[in-house]
Amino acid sequence: MKILKIQALNGPNIWSIKRKKLIQMRLDLEDLEEKPTNKIPGFRERIEALIPSMVEHRCSEGCKGGFFQRVDRGTWMGHVIEHIALEIQTLAGMDVGFGRTRETKTRGVYNVVFNYIEEKVGLYAAESAVRIAESLISGTEYDLQSDILKMKEIREDVRLGPSTGSIVDEAVARDIPWIRLGTNSLIQLGYGINQMRFQATITCKTSNIAVDIACDKEQTKRMLDAASIPVAKGSICVDEEDLEETIKKIGYPIVIKPLDGNHGKGASINVTNWEDALDGLSYAKKYSRRVIVERFITGFDFRVLVIDNKVIAAAQRVPAHVVGDGQHSIQWLIDETNKDPRRGYGHENVLTEITVDRDTEELLEKLNYTLDTVPAHGEIVFLKSTANLSTGGTSIDVTDKMHPENVFMSERISRVIGLDICGIDIMAENLTEPLKENGGVILEVNAAPGFRMHLAPAEGLPRNVASPVIDMLYPPGKPSRIPIIAITGTNGKTTTTRLIAHIVKNNGYRVGFTTSDGIYIQNHMMEKGDTTGPISAEYILKDPNVEFAVLETARGGILRSGLGFSRCDIGVITNIQEDHLGISDIHDLKDLSRVKSVVVESVKKDGWAVLNGEDENCLEIAKSLDCNVALFSMDENAPSITEHCRKGGVACVYENGFVTIKKGEWKFRVERATHIPLTMNGKAKFMIANVLAATLASYLNGFKTEDIKLSLTTFIPGAAQTPGRMNIFEFSKFKVMIDFAHNPNGYRGIEEFLSTVEATRKIGIISGVGDRRDEDIKECARIAARMFDHVVIRQEKHLRGRTEQEIINLIVEGLTEANTGITYEIVALEVEAIKHAILLAEEGTFITALSDVIDNAIDIVQNYLDMEIEQGTID
């Protein structure tokens, strides 16, 4: 077997709209294509012995053990690898279950698809599944546990922490989209101008000065003390002299901890003598230059969580410990405790495994214990000096036991410090009595408090503490999304996108849009290039200035990574024609339709799919959509339009020279096509179709027809506004038009337009694209032979696996098939080809350059035009 390609899909895709996280592996079975599982001796027994839990895979049989039944009858190795990849992720703690395996048009080559939770784990699982399958085929031993441990380690490196993850989960439950910004825990909720950001439990609403105060433990104590809130007596020390002076003031026992520490690192508690105090000072200074020394308060360790100035949860924290049984050593008891299924590696489970470190050894030393000591039956041996869950501690929910006075005090503390989310550490005998009565004190106020102890306490009621965070960031009535219109199709995508963006901008929105020539925000180009994929879409959705997104969405990005958004309000398909066929398993229009349909399948239920009413592939897509459907057509009497409107549907048609909206039997004329500059005085029929699509999408979004009309008449085509879309340069004696047409349908549109152009001679500059089918390259040449008197063939770029001569030969073959009398010449370089055509031009000549590198062609022609204006001639 050979892995040909592995890719991660992160958005709605051709395999599933709802399951956005999928691994797609292109796998060549090679000689195994002839060996299904029932022809491999012992395969069933070996796979069941290695991964017995796969008995739960029901597969298409729909029953327990269904997958093994398929193995018995004989199934292909791609299908087996799909199931292995799913199961090993599940065994590593990531429960997944969706998969598909489909043979491609190439015999023996399969697309193996399965879902994942963490992308890097999914990619690893793909390769691991192939290795496992190969060992099962050969009958060699395989260390499965090593792979499972590796996947756990990868997950811990890349996963969101429990606090961040809980907020994301709550956002997802409320249909709020999210984007991970980088590889850490910085998260964006919502899109564009409606976004909110947070990292761990620090939000965009968190006061920077409040965080500074909370991080300065001495400043926090002073402010709380001044507000009559009980705090532990103590001082800041930097050396032994300070330590001695502080101990004289407060006496023993004491607590020593780093001023800038967290998670209990560097802390020493219940210190009762000078020697231990010196050790504690030295230990704390490893983490902070300044050290806080406080009176040790006896009692229990509590954490109160306050969000948006309201107490949300309270927990008693218990340090990591074991309970003696009078028979086994402390080390044995630790190992046994770590077998608790609730404990896991890092943050993978509710509790964390207990590890032995310096803190553990010092606590045991104070008891004159070692790890080999056998504690008495029922004796509690504490293994950590702090009660952090990250060091193996546990928590007990006590939210409902808090005295109202303590609730009031905690909410007051959050306001005194100024934190929107804060964790208040309290040492007291209990929280059922006011602290001022039981002698309890506030130890610390924490910015970015962890949520895990509240989400899944070892005892008591779990608290959904993420919910009030979302309530704070998105109070009732505040939207999280911005309107999104996504445009796809074979031809006309970029022009339609730009026209819709123009209409949106004229309606008062700050619009961000992506096209095949760049990313734009309010018509300012942010990035140059073909930006029609998911990364570019996400670029727009991450920008806090953007109020409305208009996203050109091309085939390549959908196949490569899926969509860059979870859903859109309006999806547009301009047309589905022969292009890019024979690439990435897209062999015919049915395959291409499947890709394009992803855009309109992602439209929200009450949104709109805007489809070409004359395109049979678009009409076929419409049959399976769950959203509203509207059609556009150059023929108002097309059967699809007649039937659609008869049922009360909405359409946009070209009738009697007008761009017209139809609702049922009613008509609303928007503007005469000849008054819309983009249509070239009504001569460019394919441009009228683009106008229809843009008009319909804008109307369905809620824009008024009079505002749409104004935008249509003020959208002036040209190299700046619509680069490469029928850009006409007028010289004194001839004209040059540059267009991006690069497939047969695009060429036919140019042919129709040129039929309306009066010229003494029509010269065409054409080239081929190497990864297109022979037939497509030749068909473009045939059309060129019909619409030009003379053709200049140039071919220097986009060879894509072919030789320059091979493409030129196909072009010449197409030209001569259609017109044996056609004259042509070959000028390989684009610069020279355009220069040569211009030198050939006579009075009344119309030159058309059909270029796949628009910027170059526009710059070249513009330079010649500038020369003519400056010098009066062209050399």
Side-chain angles (χ1 to χ4, degrees):
M1 286 184 291
K2 183 192 299 181
I3 297 174
L4 302 178
K5 184 179 182 182
I6 303 177
Q7 60 197 98
L9 308 179
N10 299 296
N13 54 76
I14 60 172
W15 302 102
S16 176
I17 298 300
K18 294 181 180 179
R19 295 178 179 89
K20 303 173 181 65
K21 292 185 170 186
L22 297 177
I23 297 296
Q24 179 176 316
M25 175 168 58
R26 190 174 176 85
L27 185 67
D28 186 349
L29 296 188
E30 298 179 317
D31 61 330
L32 285 171
E33 174 64 11
E34 309 300 330
K35 294 181 181 179
T37 52
N38 63 336
K39 292 185 179 180
I40 303 173
F43 186 86
R44 156 67 192 271
E45 291 75 19
R46 290 194 290 273
I47 191 171
E48 189 170 9
L50 182 65
I51 319 177
S53 53
M54 289 182 74
V55 72
E56 299 296 334
H57 290 215
R58 304 170 73 86
C59 204
S60 57
E61 304 300 304
C63 62
K64 186 175 180 178
F67 171 68
F68 286 145
Q69 291 178 29
R70 290 288 305 277
V71 172
D72 283 335
R73 288 206 310 272
T75 189
W76 270 259
M77 204 50 61
H79 181 215
V80 173
I81 287 168
E82 169 206 324
H83 279 267
I84 293 174
L86 290 170
E87 185 60 21
I88 60 177
Q89 288 184 87
T90 300
L91 292 173
M94 290 153 279
D95 194 9
V96 290
F98 174 83
R100 294 284 185 273
T101 299
R102 297 290 183 268
E103 188 173 14
T104 68
K105 295 280 175 67
T106 304
R107 178 172 169 75
V109 175
Y110 291 77
N111 281 317
V112 179
V113 178
F114 57 89
N115 64 322
Y116 65 87
I117 292 175
E118 297 294 345
E119 181 178 318
K120 287 188 177 180
V121 175
L123 293 170
Y124 182 90
E127 295 182 339
S128 173
V130 173
R131 291 195 301 269
I132 292 169
E134 288 173 335
S135 76
L136 291 170
I137 293 165
S138 63
T140 56
E141 292 292 322
Y142 193 87
D143 186 357
L144 179 61
Q145 289 307 312
S146 176
D147 279 5
I148 291 172
L149 179 59
K150 180 64 176 178
M151 286 188 283
K152 286 184 176 183
E153 291 172 349
I154 295 172
R155 185 190 191 191
E156 283 306 302
D157 286 340
V158 301
R159 72 180 296 186
L160 297 174
S163 301
T164 307
S166 69
I167 297 172
V168 167
D169 290 344
E170 181 65 22
V172 170
R174 301 190 190 194
D175 197 30
I176 296 172
W178 67 284
I179 301 171
R180 190 171 187 173
L181 304 176
T183 57
N184 56 21
S185 293
L186 181 60
I187 302 296
Q188 173 184 314
L189 298 179
Y191 290 151
I193 197 171
N194 291 323
Q195 68 181 260
M196 290 287 173
R197 295 175 186 163
F198 72 94
Q199 184 163 14
T201 57
I202 294 284
T203 77
C204 52
K205 290 180 173 289
T206 303
S207 161
N208 186 54
I209 194 169
V211 173
D212 283 345
I213 292 169
C215 290
D216 187 335
K217 294 179 173 61
E218 185 62 18
Q219 177 67 34
T220 300
K221 283 180 62 178
R222 283 198 298 267
M223 291 181 68
L224 296 181
D225 192 37
S228 303
I229 294 168
V231 294
K233 302 300 180 183
S235 186
I236 301 296
C237 300
V238 295
D239 53 29
E240 292 182 20
E241 185 179 340
D242 291 341
L243 177 62
E244 185 176 13
E245 185 178 340
T246 300
I247 292 174
K248 285 180 181 178
K249 287 181 181 178
I250 64 176
Y252 292 110
I254 60 172
V255 174
I256 305 172
K257 55 188 176 182
L259 182 65
D260 304 320
N262 57 46
H263 300 299
K265 293 176 181 177
S268 300
I269 68 168
N270 198 16
V271 176
T272 59
N273 59 70
W274 177 247
E275 185 178 337
D276 289 345
L278 289 176
D279 288 343
L281 177 67
S282 176
Y283 182 40
K285 292 196 72 171
K286 291 180 180 179
Y287 297 90
S288 174
R289 189 180 68 84
R290 298 195 298 164
V291 173
I292 190 165
V293 178
E294 295 176 336
R295 177 77 178 177
F296 176 65
I297 308 297
T298 59
F300 297 101
D301 186 346
F302 295 96
R303 164 64 66 83
V304 177
L305 179 65
V306 184
I307 299 175
D308 202 17
N309 305 128
K310 297 181 182 65
V311 169
I312 301 301
Q316 179 183 336
R317 301 189 296 179
V318 183
H321 64 278
V322 292
V323 180
D325 61 3
Q327 298 179 20
H328 297 95
S329 69
I330 291 173
Q331 183 63 66
W332 186 93
L333 293 169
I334 292 173
D335 294 340
E336 198 65 19
T337 300
N338 283 338
K339 291 179 182 178
D340 184 339
R342 295 177 300 169
R343 291 190 183 271
Y345 182 86
H347 288 149
E348 72 173 345
N349 285 342
V350 173
L351 302 175
T352 300
E353 292 177 351
I354 300 172
T355 58
V356 176
D357 57 12
R358 176 187 180 276
D359 189 24
T360 307
E361 292 169 349
E362 288 186 351
L363 286 173
L364 294 178
E365 187 179 339
K366 289 178 181 179
L367 297 171
N368 291 321
Y369 284 0
T370 69
L371 291 171
D372 295 325
T373 300
V374 177
H377 180 77
E379 180 184 357
I380 297 175
V381 181
F382 287 103
L383 303 169
K384 294 288 185 288
S385 57
T386 60
N388 297 85
L389 268 67
S390 58
T391 59
T394 57
S395 65
I396 303 168
D397 179 72
V398 295
T399 307
D400 297 331
K401 297 179 181 179
M402 280 190 74
H403 192 280
E405 189 70 25
N406 292 333
V407 172
F408 172 76
M409 180 191 66
S410 299
E411 292 176 349
R412 184 163 172 259
I413 289 171
S414 73
R415 293 183 184 276
V416 168
I417 303 303
L419 287 168
D420 59 336
I421 301 176
C422 71
I424 302 168
D425 290 344
I426 299 173
M427 183 65 71
E429 287 298 323
N430 57 65
L431 294 184
T432 58
E433 300 173 308
L435 295 194
K436 291 184 178 180
E437 293 183 12
N438 66 16
V441 296
I442 306 301
L443 298 178
E444 292 182 26
V445 179
N446 299 277
F451 282 1
R452 186 159 63 134
M453 71 184 74
H454 308 295
L455 293 166
E459 297 179 34
L461 187 66
R463 305 285 172 171
N464 182 5
V465 294
S467 180
V469 176
I470 300 297
D471 289 340
M472 176 180 67
L473 297 178
Y474 288 100
K478 178 177 174 57
S480 62
R481 297 176 181 267
I482 60 173
I484 297 175
I485 298 179
I487 300 94
T488 193
T490 303
N491 294 310
K493 298 186 296 294
T494 299
T495 301
T496 303
T497 298
R498 283 181 167 275
L499 180 53
I500 292 174
H502 178 73
I503 296 169
V504 170
K505 182 174 179 289
N506 283 356
N507 276 270
Y509 289 90
R510 287 198 294 273
V511 61
F513 60 99
T514 61
T515 70
S516 57
D517 55 80
I519 300 174
Y520 297 82
I521 296 177
Q522 284 297 82
N523 285 349
H524 296 276
M525 179 182 279
M526 302 290 106
E527 294 285 340
K528 189 175 184 178
D530 187 346
T531 58
T532 56
I535 293 175
S536 304
E538 195 171 273
Y539 183 106
I540 292 295
L541 298 175
K542 289 194 294 191
D543 194 293
N545 296 291
V546 174
E547 298 174 321
F548 201 119
V550 183
L551 307 173
E552 180 179 348
T553 308
R555 166 206 61 88
I558 298 173
L559 289 171
R560 187 170 55 252
S561 302
L563 297 180
F565 48 88
S566 55
R567 71 162 184 256
C568 58
D569 299 84
I570 296 174
V572 180
I573 302 181
T574 56
N575 47 65
I576 300 175
Q577 300 295 329
E578 294 90 347
D579 196 14
H580 298 282
L581 300 183
I583 306 171
S584 300
D585 296 324
I586 307 303
H587 297 281
D588 52 35
L589 288 179
K590 184 178 179 181
D591 292 337
L592 188 59
S593 297
R594 182 161 144 258
V595 179
K596 302 293 186 183
S597 68
V598 172
V599 171
V600 289
E601 286 173 357
S602 72
V603 173
K604 64 183 185 179
K605 199 169 185 65
D606 59 346
W608 290 88
V610 174
L611 305 175
N612 189 325
E614 297 175 71
D615 190 308
E616 62 182 27
N617 297 293
C618 287
L619 295 176
E620 190 62 31
I621 289 171
K623 295 176 182 177
S624 59
L625 296 178
D626 292 330
C627 62
N628 299 305
V629 174
L631 304 177
F632 65 92
S633 172
M634 291 292 291
D635 178 10
E636 73 162 321
N637 296 314
S640 60
I641 299 297
T642 303
E643 179 64 15
H644 180 68
C645 291
R646 186 184 65 79
K647 295 178 179 178
V650 182
C652 188
V653 297
Y654 180 55
E655 57 88 27
N656 295 317
F658 282 89
V659 172
T660 301
I661 298 287
K662 289 190 70 177
K663 288 185 72 176
E665 298 302 318
W666 293 92
K667 291 183 181 179
F668 308 91
R669 284 181 170 173
V670 180
E671 181 58 287
R672 188 179 290 277
T674 54
H675 295 173
I676 301 172
L678 188 60
T679 69
M680 302 294 179
N681 201 33
K683 295 177 182 178
K685 301 302 182 185
F686 60 92
M687 283 297 188
I688 297 177
N690 294 336
V691 169
L692 296 178
T695 299
L696 185 53
S698 302
Y699 175 78
L700 294 171
N701 187 71
F703 297 141
K704 297 178 181 178
T705 53
E706 54 265 36
D707 292 331
I708 297 172
K709 173 182 177 179
L710 178 63
S711 297
L712 295 178
T713 56
T714 57
F715 186 76
I716 310 300
Q721 183 82 291
T722 55
R725 276 70 188 176
M726 299 187 70
N727 305 146
I728 297 178
F729 299 81
E730 296 196 16
F731 290 76
S732 58
K733 295 182 179 180
F734 59 90
K735 295 179 182 179
V736 178
M737 182 176 78
I738 297 173
D739 195 86
F740 188 59
H742 57 279
N743 57 47
N745 191 57
Y747 269 55
R748 291 185 197 105
I750 296 298
E751 180 184 24
E752 185 179 12
F753 171 72
L754 288 179
S755 68
T756 68
V757 173
E758 293 186 7
T760 57
R761 193 182 189 204
K762 295 176 183 177
I763 299 175
I765 305 171
I766 68 172
S767 63
V769 181
D771 60 0
R772 301 308 197 268
R773 299 177 305 176
D774 291 2
E775 179 57 31
D776 295 331
I777 296 173
K778 289 163 62 177
E779 179 61 17
C780 286
R782 293 186 195 106
I783 298 167
R786 295 199 302 260
M787 61 180 167
F788 298 127
D789 301 309
H790 181 72
V791 172
V792 177
I793 303 171
R794 63 111 188 145
Q795 191 67 48
E796 60 180 305
K797 297 180 180 178
H798 296 283
L799 302 180
R800 298 178 185 175
R802 296 184 191 257
T803 65
E804 178 182 328
Q805 192 58 50
E806 184 182 356
I807 299 174
I808 291 173
N809 289 343
L810 288 170
I811 293 172
V812 171
E813 188 178 339
L815 289 173
T816 54
E817 280 180 9
N819 184 353
T820 54
I822 186 75
T823 60
Y824 66 87
E825 50 193 318
I826 300 168
V827 182
L829 299 180
E830 182 177 43
V831 175
E832 297 301 321
I834 293 174
K835 181 179 180 180
H836 182 69
I838 288 175
L839 291 176
L840 290 176
E842 303 167 348
E843 183 84 33
T845 298
F846 195 96
I847 300 170
T848 302
L850 301 179
S851 176
D852 47 15
V853 189
I854 293 306
D855 291 338
N856 291 357
I858 290 174
D859 291 343
I860 294 165
V861 175
Q862 187 64 57
N863 286 338
Y864 277 113
L865 185 59
D866 293 341
M867 287 168 54
E868 181 184 82
I869 294 171
E870 291 174 9
Q871 303 173 11
T873 60
I874 297 176
D875 298 324

